Structure formats: structure tokens, C-alpha cells
Amino acid sequence: MAKLVCTHGVNAGEEFVLIAGPNVIGRSHECDIMLNDKLASRRHCQVIVKAKGEYVLDDMGSRHGTVLNRDKIGKPVSLKYGDVICVAQTRLVLSERAPGVALEKTFEIAANQLEGKEFHELIDDASSAVAKTAAWRQDELEQLLEAAPPTGIRGFFHRLFRRRRKK
């Protein structure tokens, strides 16, 4: 699936997931993609999602027209990822939805792993993981310091850690 990302206009930063079939774009609350652009028509245009990932842009008789990649369209045209659709003062870019899907899947996996655990169990698990990592790094540092010849900066740290251990 794909999405339209608003890069310019009142809705800048918003993402609209496209569903199979027609996705009507306009000012009306009845539109699938509602824009807060005063110059957009109530039912300005539509992106039709066809089988096999085909996308078609069609103007719906809007007052100011619909622009695709700087060309005003007069009939339905095919879309590809990266195409820029201008609806009045709003700019929408057709984009793949993959990063959002990956993030949703990650949240789903994390939620399944956390399901059924109590808060204190989660805190205990996190604390033990941090403690193990800290202990492992301390051991590794001590081994490195013992293996290094006690000269220069290494010698300084070597002596420093030996004094701490003796106390």
C-alpha cells in the first residue's frame, strides 16, 4: 500500500494512507482525505488504488484544477511513487508505506512480548539486563588494563583502578 504525504500547506506533515478503490480528496468532511485548504474544492480530486499497486489520479471537476508534477491534468493519469500532486495550496507526495508498516510490526511484536507481564517484572528484567551489561563492561575494562603495560595514560588508569580495588 501507499500513502500521500503532505509536504506543503495547512496539512503539512500529515500522512494519509490510501485504501483500495477511490480515495476522494477535498475540503468536505465526507472525503477520505480531508484538507484544510480554503481554495480546495469540497470534492477536488481522487486517487484510485487499483489491483497490483496501480494508482490513478482523477480531477473531479474542481474549480482550480489538479496539478501533477507541474502539469494540470484534464483526464485520469497514472501515478508513481514520488509524484507530486498539487490541490490548491496543498502539496501531496505519493510515497511507499513500508517504514510505517515496519514500525507498526515492531510495536506489535513488542506488545506481544510484554503482554501478560506485570510492571514490576518488566522493571526487574530491565534492571538485570543493565546490571549484566555493566558488570561485563567492567570486567572487560579491567582485563584490558591488566594486559596493557603500565606506562603513559594506560599506566595512570591502571594505577588508579588498582588503588580503588585495594580500598
Side-chain angles (χ1 to χ4, degrees):
M1 279 309 216
K3 63 184 173 183
L4 290 175
V5 179
C6 185
T7 60
H8 184 267
V10 179
N11 295 82
E14 291 185 41
E15 297 180 1
F16 306 98
V17 177
L18 297 174
I19 57 172
N23 295 267
V24 179
I25 302 169
R27 269 191 358 248
S28 172
H29 293 285
E30 296 172 359
C31 290
D32 301 300
I33 299 172
M34 192 186 93
L35 302 178
N36 296 322
D37 189 333
K38 292 180 182 179
L39 296 178
S41 297
R42 287 184 185 93
R43 294 173 52 87
H44 197 99
C45 64
Q46 64 182 343
V47 174
I48 303 164
V49 179
K50 295 186 172 186
K52 299 179 184 175
E54 295 175 45
Y55 304 95
V56 176
L57 176 65
D58 186 21
D59 186 77
M60 299 177 75
S62 64
R63 184 176 196 176
H64 298 288
T66 303
V67 176
L68 174 64
N69 299 328
R70 298 186 179 179
D71 295 322
K72 194 169 185 175
I73 64 167
K75 60 181 182 177
V77 293
S78 293
L79 293 172
K80 62 184 181 309
Y81 293 122
D83 279 345
V84 179
I85 303 166
C86 292
V87 175
Q89 297 176 331
T90 303
R91 190 176 309 135
L92 303 163
V93 178
L94 182 65
S95 175
E96 289 186 83
R97 189 174 174 215
V101 171
L103 190 58
E104 287 173 18
K105 194 67 175 167
T106 302
F107 286 148
E108 184 179 317
I109 291 168
N112 288 338
Q113 290 174 344
L114 298 175
E115 192 173 329
K117 288 194 175 186
E118 295 292 325
F119 181 74
H120 70 279
E121 291 177 311
L122 297 172
I123 296 299
D124 290 344
D125 290 349
S127 297
S128 68
V130 169
K132 287 178 186 174
T133 303
W136 173 80
R137 288 193 175 167
Q138 180 66 31
D139 290 342
E140 186 179 70
L141 180 61
E142 287 178 3
Q143 289 174 1
L144 288 172
L145 290 174
E146 288 175 8
T151 59
I153 193 77
R154 287 183 178 165
F156 170 76
F157 281 108
H158 182 73
R159 290 188 295 277
L160 180 67
F161 276 99
R162 287 201 172 210
R163 284 185 194 147
R164 285 187 180 175
R165 276 190 262 154
K166 289 179 183 177
K167 291 180 182 181

